[in-house]
Each structure stands twice: as structure tokens, then as C-alpha cells.
Amino acid sequence: MSVIIAGERSGVGKTTVTLTLLASLRRRDRSVQSFKVGPDYIDPMFHQHVTGLPCRNLDPVLTSEAYIQQCFARHSQLSEYALVEGVMGLFDGVSSLVISHLSFAKNKGQMTNDQRQITDFASTAHIARLLDLPVVLVIDCSRLSGSVAAIAHGYQSFDPRIKIAGVVLNRVGSDRHLSLLKDSLEPLQLPILGVLRRQDNITIPDRHLGLVPTAELPELNALIDRLADLGDSCFDWQHLLPLLKSKPLPHPPHLPHPPSSIRIAVARDRAFNFYYQDNLDLLQQLGAELVFWSPLEDAAIPKDIQGMYFGGGFPEVFAQQLAENTSVRDGVKTAILKGMPAIAECGGLMYLCEQIIDFEGKSWSMAGVLPTSAVMGGRLTLGYRRAVALQDNLLVKVGTTVYGHEFHRSHLTITPTQPLFATSRYDCDENMGCEGWGFPANVHASYVHLHWGESGEIPQQFLKECVKVAF
């Protein structure tokens, strides 16, 4: 058993409620495994900071329904409690007209006989049905009172397959306000599992791609303590704890890592920190030793490595510091031009460019592997992508289709003459253009973030190329 924390829409406080629950559980010395619906990187960082365990993403577009069930079963059983944070509103999915986009529906396992039906594929409700978990619905009560019952009743009755275990009332004002909310909800016999008052001293700063990551928040521990204090008093723990309880295995299975013969340098610091934990686990399970390092702080690239992995992040925020670390920039360029395999996703791609031009128009020199520059702008590129490989490259063979996610506010001044992928929207044939650098041939640089959970051949192919390197 576990529960999913869902919102009636985006911005109602799902993350705050989730972190409050996690912080209070950890204060009680309870082990808790968290999960996040969707492709997000930043919310899982906050989960991990609180729980001490890597948060796992549950995303059927990037992986599959079967993978989600396996992932949840495997990791939830390793802790006493388990908790899933949803995405957007409860029923907000990719909203594909299945008949119009039949190939996507077949491939991703969601079918319907209704030509007009819009699916909620990849929504929080979809994950709740897949895992057979009850939902705790977070409602923003800051601008309503009696209408809360209509909202709760609508979500409770919209899909009979979804069990609403109760509601959490967020941003409640006065005692009178709370009394009006309770009176309105009473006829529904829907448990109120938590009440969070308006909090002026609990805010998580954000910027152009969402929340500011944990590594950049020196006051984060104090914030988590305030959330734990709040959680101790605002939840109905008598009803919540049994819902959160998982069924831990008496002897959790240990997956031994094969002897490490390949050392992969993984850039992980304030500038580069967007990684799916499952991707890192797969590399280790295939025999790689992960060497974490900082292009911001270190004086040189790690020694005795056979490959590099640059995840996404915010290199534009730290562009000056990255530019000033010339020894690392030169070391990265030299190693790659000598043939070292390198994966660079989004922020990593930007770092391999000649320059990053920030929001103020200032230019900062980067590694200079790719003959292009990354320019920050106001336009947000966001969404799932279906990407078909146009050539054999470091990770996949020509013609291979992969599903990924884009989320950035930069664009390149020069596009590759031989791009890696032809991309389209996840659910239709709308052309999103060609993108990705596979030149030099030992580089995979793309704006498209990939989750390898259903594509084990990707890390296998990467490590196969790394084995060939002798530095």
C-alpha cells in the first residue's frame, strides 16, 4: 500500500504537501521511498534531500506501463513507507486523441474504442490505476469556501476506477474559513487528511525552469525543519500512516555490481545535476564505476576514465565560473577530440558548445567541442518527443525510435548538418525538426533527455564504445 499525492490542478501545493509528509516521516526515523510522476528532475532532488534515498521517476512515455509497475514494486518494498507525488492536475495527461494517433497508443499500451475519447495517458490518474493506489487530493482553498465540495465531488466521481482516500486542504485562512470548508465537505463523507494554513515563512524559490535545485539553497535544511514541524501538527496521522505503509521484504534483495573495469566521469555539481537515478544504476549494473566530479570546482577532469556523461542543469547560471575554469574546459575538449565517448544532454550539450550567451547577452567560452553557441532566450521549448535516429551514433542505430523530453530556454546558433534525430511530438506526426550532434562520432549531444529504463541497449552501447578507449 501507498498513496499518491495529487492536485486538482498545477500550483496547488503538491510538492509542499509531499515534502511536509516526507520531512515529518523522516523526523520519526521512518524509512520512506518516494516517487515522482513525470519527467521532472528538480522535485526528486528535494525528495532525496529529505529521505536520503534516490527518488524514482514514474513516466510511461519515457519508459512503459510495465516498467513503472516493476520499478514501484522493486523500490517500494525496500522501505517501511512509500509515497508518490503526482504531476499537474490529477487527470492531466498527454491528452492524445487515440484514434488519430493510433501508432502511439498501440506502442504505449493504452487503447480505447471511443473515437472521440481523450486519454489521460501519463497522468497521475493513469499511474494510480496502474499501481492500484489510492489518491490524496490536494485542494487550494485560498479563494473558495463552499465550492470546495463541488471540486471534491467532481474528482471523486469523475473516474470510478480512482479511489480518493481523502483530501488535504491547503492555504486555509482563518478558523472561520476552515469551518466553512468542513461544513461543505461533510455530506461527501470524504476524510480531511490534512489542513495546511497559509504559510508566509515556507517558500521554495524558483526561476526560469522551475524550482531552484537543492544544491543552490544554503537554507534548505532550515526549511525542511519548518516543514517537519508543520507536518507533525497538520496531518491526520492516524489515518495517513496505514495508507503510506508499504510491505517491506524481510531480506531486501541486493543487486551486486559486476567488477568495475570502465570508469565513467559523471559531471555532478550546481551546474549539472539532471540525472535519472535509474540511468546511473544501469551503468553500474553493467559494470561501470561512476566517478562524480565538478566542471565548476575541479582543477582537471578525472584520471583514468573511458567515458564522460554530462547531464542537464543550469550551466547558463554558472557560465562565468565554467568559462573561468579553463583547465577543465581544455581537458574536456582534448579528451573528446582524442576519441573519448561523451553523452551530453541539454545543459551538457550547451557546455560542449563554443559559447553560452546568457540572458543579458554576455558571451562565455565553453568547451568548444561543437561548432555552435547556445543562446538563452524567453521562449520555452517543452514537451515529450518521439525521436528517430538518422544515423548510427554513440547510443543507437539508424532508424531506432526513442522517446524523450525537452525542457529548455536556449537555442543553438548553428544546427548540425548531419543531425542525430528527426523529432516529432510524442503523440502525432507534427514535425519538431531535426536536432542533436553526433560529430565527432564519439559524441551524443542532444536537447532530448532520455530515460534508459526500457532501453537497456543504450547504456550497453555506450559502455561498448568506452571499452575501446585506452587513456
Side-chain angles (χ1 to χ4, degrees), residues 29-210:
D29 289 326
R30 307 295 176 91
S31 64
V32 53
Q33 175 64 58
S34 69
F35 301 84
K36 171 64 181 177
V37 178
D40 181 57
Y41 288 101
I42 299 179
D43 286 356
M45 294 181 196
F46 284 85
H47 290 205
Q48 181 169 351
H49 185 87
V50 176
T51 67
L53 296 174
C55 175
R56 306 287 169 167
N57 289 76
L58 304 176
D59 191 316
V61 176
L62 299 183
T63 59
S64 71
E65 293 176 320
Y67 183 85
I68 284 171
Q69 292 170 326
Q70 295 162 8
C71 178
F72 181 81
R74 179 167 65 251
H75 294 289
S76 65
Q77 292 176 344
L78 302 181
S79 294
E80 188 178 2
Y81 294 92
L83 182 63
V84 181
E85 179 184 351
V87 62
M88 300 189 294
L90 176 57
F91 297 102
D92 297 329
V94 298
S95 298
S96 309
L97 284 168
V98 175
I99 295 300
S100 299
H101 314 311
L102 195 57
S103 61
F104 174 79
K106 286 181 178 178
N107 188 39
K108 290 301 180 181
Q110 180 116 332
M111 295 298 295
T112 177
N113 293 321
D114 185 352
Q115 186 171 344
R116 295 175 178 267
Q117 181 176 348
I118 296 178
T119 76
D120 59 1
F121 192 90
S123 68
T124 304
H126 180 198
I127 304 305
R129 294 193 301 268
L130 273 180
L131 302 180
D132 193 23
L133 296 181
V135 168
V136 172
L137 184 68
V138 180
I139 302 177
D140 179 359
C141 302
S142 59
R143 292 178 177 84
L144 55 84
S145 57
S147 298
V148 70
I151 294 173
H153 176 68
Y155 280 82
Q156 188 179 29
S157 59
F158 182 76
D159 184 345
R161 298 170 296 176
I162 300 298
K163 178 186 176 183
I164 306 294
V167 296
V168 170
L169 306 180
N170 193 25
R171 299 170 186 150
V172 175
S174 64
D175 290 343
R176 174 60 178 162
H177 185 202
L178 178 59
S179 178
L180 290 172
L181 295 168
K182 287 183 174 180
D183 289 346
S184 180
L185 288 168
E186 185 176 4
L188 299 182
Q189 297 184 322
L190 191 62
I192 298 174
L193 299 176
V195 176
L196 278 70
R197 302 291 183 127
R198 293 171 185 163
Q199 303 290 327
D200 296 327
N201 65 334
I202 298 179
T203 57
I204 303 174
D206 59 7
R207 59 171 174 237
H208 55 278
L209 291 183

Side-chain angles (χ1 to χ4, degrees), residues 262-308:
I262 310 169
R263 284 167 53 88
I264 305 298
V266 180
R268 189 163 71 177
D269 56 18
R270 289 170 297 155
F272 305 101
N273 44 42
F274 290 4
Y275 296 97
Y276 293 123
Q277 184 63 40
D278 290 8
N279 287 7
L280 302 178
D281 289 349
L282 280 168
L283 289 172
Q284 291 180 309
Q285 291 164 15
L286 291 168
E289 176 187 352
L290 304 185
V291 182
F292 296 103
W293 71 293
S294 172
L296 282 172
E297 306 288 348
D298 292 344
I301 65 174
K303 296 181 179 180
D304 302 320
I305 57 173
Q306 289 81 45
M308 292 181 172

Side-chain angles (χ1 to χ4, degrees), residues 266-267 271-275 309-313 315 343-349 449:
V266 180
F272 305 101
N273 44 42
F274 290 4
Y275 296 97
Y309 188 3
F310 296 92
I343 299 173
E345 286 187 343
C346 202
L349 175 151
H449 293 280

